[in-house]
Amino acid sequence: MTAEAAEQAPVTQVNLAEEFQNSGVAEILAELDRELVGLKPVKQRIREIAALLIVERARKSMGLAHDTPTLHMSFTGNPGTGKTTVALKMAGLLHRLGYVRKGHLVSVTRDDLVGQYIGHTAPKTKEVLKRAMGGVLFIDEAYYLYRPDNERDYGQEAIEILLQVMENNRDDLVVILAGYADRMDQFFTSNPGFRSRIAHHIDFPDYEDGELYSIAETMLSKQNYVFDGQAQEAMREYIKKRRKQPHFANARSIRNALDRARLRQANRLFETSTGPLDAAALSTISEVDIRASRVFSGGLDDPMGPGRPKE
C-alpha cells in the first residue's frame, strides 16, 4: 500500500478517552465547571453534545455513514443564568472538534438584525451573518424578532434570511436562540421553521441561594475585595430578600448589588477616614455597605419607571 493510500484508508479503532483529552474538549468542560457555579443539568447536556460530536468524528474517521449533525440550539431561562457564557464555551468546543472554522461568538439582539425602513433589514442581517460565519451566532431575546401585531415591522424579513442560512450553512454556522422559556415556546409555535431547525433545547435553571452567595464571593475575589464576617451574613439575607422582589436577574442582580456595595464602601471611607488606609481597609466590604440597599427597606423601584432601582 502506498503512503497516499494509507493516508486515505479509514482507521479501524478509536480511543474515545484519548480523543476527549487530545481534542481540548476536556479542557473546555473543566473551564465551564470552574467558571460557572451550579447549572448541573446544563453542564450535563453540554457533555452529552460533546460526546455525540466526538463519536460522530470517530465514525467519520472509520469511514462509517455519517451526517453533519444539526447543532443549532435554544437556550431558555431567566436573565443572569449564564446563557452567554455557555454559548461562548460552546463556540470553543465546536471549534476544537472541527465543526466550525473559527470558534468565535457573535452576540446580537433584534436591533442588530432588523432595520427601520424598507431595504434596511436584509443588509443588516446579512452583515451580522457574514461576521458570524465560521462560529456561533447568539441571538438574545430572539422572540422580539417576531411582531405580528405590527404590519410595518421588518422582523419577518430577518427571520426568513436566518432560516435560509441556518439550513444552507449549517456546516459553517451554529445559531443559538435565547430568551425566557414561555416566550420562546410562543416564538417557536409562531415560527415552526425555527423549531424544525433547532436540535438542542437547553433550559437554564435559576441559581439557588447558596450558589448565588458563592457567585458573589467569586466576583468580589476577582476584584480583590472580601466581605467581613457581618457582611457575609448581610449578603446572604440580601439574596433571600432580593430574589422575591421584582426584576430579579440571578447573577446579574448579584453583580449589580456588589457594584453598589463598592460605591457605598468608597463613599464611607471618604467620609470617615482621617488618616492613611491599608490594603485591607480598601478591600473590605462591611455590613453597612450591604444593608444600605433598598432591598432591606421596602424593595426596589420599578426599573422601567422614573427611578432606577438601587440594589
Side-chain angles (χ1 to χ4, degrees):
M1 182 181 295
T2 66
E4 182 179 352
E7 287 182 5
Q8 295 177 349
V11 300
T12 57
Q13 289 184 326
V14 172
N15 187 316
L16 292 179
E18 288 183 1
E19 287 288 310
F20 180 67
Q21 293 295 330
N22 296 337
S23 65
V25 171
E27 179 185 350
I28 290 176
L29 294 179
E31 289 176 1
L32 198 60
D33 281 334
R34 287 196 306 269
E35 296 176 16
L36 283 178
V37 171
L39 298 180
K40 289 183 180 180
V42 174
K43 293 174 181 177
Q44 180 60 31
R45 284 297 305 277
I46 300 303
R47 288 180 180 276
E48 291 169 357
I49 293 171
L52 169 67
L53 298 183
I54 290 172
V55 168
E56 283 297 307
R57 192 167 75 161
R59 288 175 55 83
K60 181 179 180 181
S61 70
M62 290 183 173
L64 298 173
H66 68 281
D67 289 322
T68 300
T70 300
L71 294 170
H72 303 309
M73 304 177 191
S74 170
F75 288 1
T76 54
N78 290 323
T81 49
K83 295 187 291 295
T84 305
T85 300
V86 173
L88 182 61
K89 296 301 180 187
M90 179 58 70
L93 187 151
L94 294 173
H95 177 57
R96 297 286 183 93
L97 290 174
Y99 286 93
V100 293
R101 289 177 294 115
K102 300 177 182 178
H104 63 301
L105 179 74
V106 175
S107 181
V108 299
T109 63
R110 170 191 163 89
D111 290 344
D112 299 296
L113 298 167
V114 181
Q116 298 178 346
Y117 51 85
I118 294 175
H120 192 205
T121 294
K124 285 188 73 170
T125 302
K126 290 177 181 178
E127 176 59 30
V128 167
L129 289 166
K130 181 180 178 181
R131 286 194 286 119
M133 281 296 171
V136 172
L137 176 62
F138 181 82
I139 306 177
D140 199 14
E141 298 182 311
Y143 33 75
Y144 285 132
L145 290 174
Y146 184 65
R147 291 181 174 175
D149 54 324
N150 184 353
E151 63 181 19
R152 299 183 63 185
D153 185 72
Y154 303 108
Q156 188 60 41
E157 185 178 0
I159 288 172
E160 291 170 2
I161 294 171
L162 283 167
L163 288 173
Q164 182 179 10
V165 171
M166 287 170 69
E167 182 63 27
N168 297 340
N169 298 83
R170 60 193 182 100
D171 58 344
D172 197 35
L173 176 71
V174 171
V175 176
I176 299 177
L177 308 177
Y180 290 108
D182 56 346
R183 295 185 185 181
M184 288 302 296
D185 283 342
Q186 294 173 6
F187 176 73
F188 287 133
T189 299
S190 302
N191 296 274
F194 271 118
R195 187 184 293 277
S196 66
R197 287 168 174 79
I198 298 297
H200 305 283
H201 294 262
I202 303 178
D203 185 57
F204 286 64
D206 286 340
Y207 289 107
E208 298 177 358
D209 288 0
E211 293 172 339
L212 289 170
Y213 181 77
S214 295
I215 289 170
E217 286 202 319
T218 299
M219 287 179 174
L220 277 189
S221 177
K222 288 180 178 179
Q223 298 174 329
N224 291 314
Y225 282 85
V226 295
F227 292 124
D228 66 19
Q230 292 177 315
Q232 292 176 8
E233 182 57 32
M235 190 65 198
R236 289 189 175 95
E237 289 184 35
Y238 173 93
I239 290 168
K240 289 181 180 180
K241 292 179 178 293
R242 178 65 186 93
R243 74 183 309 138
K244 297 175 183 177
Q245 295 176 8
H247 311 291
F248 174 65
N250 287 280
R252 196 176 303 168
S253 287
I254 298 303
R255 183 179 65 241
N256 292 341
L258 296 178
D259 286 345
R260 293 291 304 177
R262 289 171 55 221
L263 286 172
R264 296 186 193 106
Q265 182 243 27
N267 188 57
R268 172 173 57 80
L269 293 177
F270 264 104
E271 290 183 347
T272 61
S273 300
T274 57
L277 296 172
D278 59 15
L282 293 172
S283 305
T284 301
I285 301 296
S286 297
E287 179 182 22
V288 65
D289 305 322
I290 303 296
R291 292 195 181 276
S293 168
R294 288 188 189 178
V295 165
F296 292 97
S297 58
L300 305 179
D301 292 338
D302 183 350
M304 302 304 291
R308 296 292 297 178
K310 296 182 179 179
E311 301 196 37

